[in-house]
């Protein structure tokens, strides 16, 4: 049931013609309370879509009644008309629900630079139809409505001790930290306040969505939202709740990785024994963004030399001539030199594990990425056609 698994939430997903496929394209999630707590993190791209500009204002007071999400159009670089469309979306939602427009978040995803009166009318129609279709079992419909190039909807549920967390996500391309081309809605019926929700969400996204680096491209529409209803009446231990939220975010991030456009390998890069966590992240990300390495993995070529070449471009503390590298459990590089024969490495499975030992400390970090394929190039060369 995704976002409707926790008590206090209703959701829906309806089709209003934003997608040419006729599939659901507007989702609504409503928090029935008793708490109306909200927190969100947004893309760090300076080029922000109109829904991001709106939602950044809404979330400031930590109170959220509902969130409306549409696929089939990013509503980005659409001028004042586009911002007015976002504003009207929130106002329409607020009018029907009997709440304030300033407590309604809006998200959009799709092609950048398009948006007209037809788009606006369809979104507003979607708001009305979506609210009319709200139910406590509508989480999966909502998850399907936010899909764009996704091949499947992405949901997760965590069962706590008397409380739950549910989540849905979309994303398949432009997946890079800060955040990614993702829309994520997470709900919980735990009793937490706005400050706690914000702190927990930032801690969770830091080690999950911000470690997903599929193609090095940063979007304009990314938003990860946490809504808390308090309907369980249970106040969880803070550490237990944060751990659960990290698990939920990591689960969704890995689902996004597994559906990356055109990918044939899901690559998990684990950097160990770094001087600092920042160093570990920097080293892992340098490999995740190295097209030569990603192309080699696509060709099932355990070319570990490309790993060393990539990490050598970073400012991290380590001796490049004392690094060990493992590929799918085989140490192919020891102390910066050859170890086991490349033929010992089997890269035919989709799951690909890369471990890099920097021998400079005790910090670790994991980065999630994928290979670079012909299908990725084809899909993105024809995205707007």
């Amino acid at each position: 049931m995704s976002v409707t698994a926790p008590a206090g939430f209703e959701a829906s997903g309806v089709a209003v013609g934003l997608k040419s496929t006729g599939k659901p394209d507007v989702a609504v999630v409503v928090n029935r309370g008793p708490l109306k707590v909200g927190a969100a993190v947004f893309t760090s791209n300076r080029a922000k879509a109109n829904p991001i500009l709106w939602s950044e204002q809404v979330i400031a007071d930590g109170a959220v009644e509902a969130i409306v999400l549409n696929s089939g159009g990013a509503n980005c670089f659409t001028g004042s008309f586009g911002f007015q469309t976002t504003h009207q979306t929130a106002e329409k939602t607020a009018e029907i629900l009997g709440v304030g427009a300033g407590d309604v978040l809006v998200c959009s995803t799709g092609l950048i630079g398009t948006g007209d009166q037809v788009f606006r009318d369809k979104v507003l129609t979607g708001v009305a139809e979506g609210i009319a279709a709200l139910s406590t079992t509508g989480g999966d419909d909502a998850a399907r409505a936010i899909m764009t190039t996704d091949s499947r909807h992405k949901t997760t549920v965590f069962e706590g001790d008397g409380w739950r967390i549910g989540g849905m996500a979309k994303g398949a391309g432009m997946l890079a930290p800060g955040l990614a081309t993702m829309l994520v809605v997470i709900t919980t019926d735990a009793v937490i306040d706005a400050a706690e929700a914000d702190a927990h969400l930032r801690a969770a996204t830091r080690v999950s969505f911000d470690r997903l680096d599929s193609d090095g491209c940063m979007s304009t529409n990314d938003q990860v939202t946490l809504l808390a209803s308090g309907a369980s009446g249970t106040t969880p231990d803070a550490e237990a709740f944060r751990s659960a939220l990290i698990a939920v975010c990591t689960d969704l991030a890995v689902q996004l990785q597994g559906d990356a456009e055109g990918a044939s390998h899901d690559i998990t890069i684990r950097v160990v024994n770094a001087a600092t966590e920042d160093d570990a992240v920097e080293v892992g990300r340098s490999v995740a963004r190295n097209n030569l390495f990603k192309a080699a993995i696509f060709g099932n070529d355990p070319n570990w030399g490309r790993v060393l070449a990539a990490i050598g471009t970073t400012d991290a503390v380590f001796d490049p001539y004392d690094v060990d590298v493992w590929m799918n459990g085989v140490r192919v590089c020891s102390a910066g030199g050859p170890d086991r024969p490349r033929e010992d490495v089997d890269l035919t499975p989709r799951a690909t594990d890369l471990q890099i030992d920097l021998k400079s400390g005790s910090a670790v970090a994991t980065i999630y990425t994928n290979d670079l394929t012909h299908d990725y190039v084809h899909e993105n060369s024809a995205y707007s056609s």
Side-chain angles (χ1 to χ4, degrees), residues 13-261:
V14 298
V16 293
L18 290 169
K19 293 176 181 174
S20 59
T21 59
K23 295 180 179 179
D25 43 29
V26 173
V28 181
V29 180
V30 175
N31 183 355
R32 298 299 189 183
L35 300 181
K36 303 296 180 73
V37 170
V41 292
F42 304 94
T43 180
S44 58
N45 197 329
R46 291 170 56 201
K48 300 179 189 297
N50 290 304
I52 295 293
L53 298 173
W54 170 265
S55 293
E56 285 177 332
Q57 299 176 42
V58 169
I59 207 65
D61 64 358
V64 177
E65 295 275 358
I67 181 168
V68 177
L69 312 94
N70 77 267
S71 55
N75 193 9
C76 180
F77 291 116
T78 49
S80 59
F81 179 87
F83 189 80
Q84 290 165 10
T85 298
T86 297
H87 196 165
Q88 289 183 27
T89 301
E91 288 181 328
K92 182 75 170 180
T93 305
E95 176 188 353
I96 299 174
L97 292 176
V99 300
D103 291 330
V104 177
L105 295 168
V106 179
C107 298
S108 298
T109 182
L111 189 63
I112 294 172
T114 61
D116 53 19
Q117 188 64 47
V118 174
F119 171 82
R120 175 187 288 180
D121 290 344
K122 288 180 178 179
V123 171
L124 296 180
T125 297
V127 167
E129 293 185 3
I131 293 175
L134 286 170
S135 76
T136 56
T137 59
D140 283 348
D141 290 337
R144 291 185 177 91
I146 61 176
M147 293 168 54
T148 50
T149 58
D150 306 65
S151 67
R152 56 187 178 272
H153 67 296
K154 303 161 180 74
T155 65
T156 190
V157 175
F158 182 93
E159 294 279 353
D161 185 11
W163 49 273
R164 285 179 174 178
I165 301 176
M168 67 178 185
K170 65 78 52 180
M174 289 181 81
L175 292 171
L179 294 157
T181 295
M182 61 175 72
L183 297 182
V184 180
V185 179
I186 300 167
T187 59
T188 182
D189 52 17
V191 177
I192 57 174
D193 62 30
E196 291 170 330
D198 182 75
H200 290 317
L201 183 62
R202 292 182 185 279
T205 56
R206 186 184 71 83
V207 295
S208 56
F209 296 119
D210 282 349
R211 302 282 172 87
L212 175 62
D213 201 331
S214 174
D215 54 13
C217 300
M218 187 187 297
S219 178
T220 56
N221 290 63
D222 309 327
Q223 181 172 327
V224 179
T225 304
L226 172 63
L227 305 177
S229 69
S232 70
T234 301
T235 302
D237 173 77
E239 186 174 338
F241 183 83
R242 180 170 295 189
S243 177
L245 187 60
I246 289 172
V248 164
C249 290
T250 301
D251 184 2
L252 290 172
V254 170
Q255 289 186 54
L256 294 172
Q257 176 198 24
D259 198 27
E261 291 172 344

Side-chain angles (χ1 to χ4, degrees), residues 255-272:
Q255 289 186 54
L256 294 172
Q257 176 198 24
D259 198 27
E261 291 172 344
S264 64
H265 290 80
D266 302 328
I267 307 170
T268 300
I269 303 171
R270 181 172 168 81
V271 181
V272 302

Side-chain angles (χ1 to χ4, degrees), residues 280-303:
V281 171
E282 182 182 6
V283 165
R285 190 162 291 157
S286 72
V287 178
R289 294 187 173 184
N290 187 281
N291 286 338
L292 289 175
F293 166 76
K294 291 156 76 76
I297 298 300
F298 170 57
N300 296 328
D301 177 13
N303 191 339

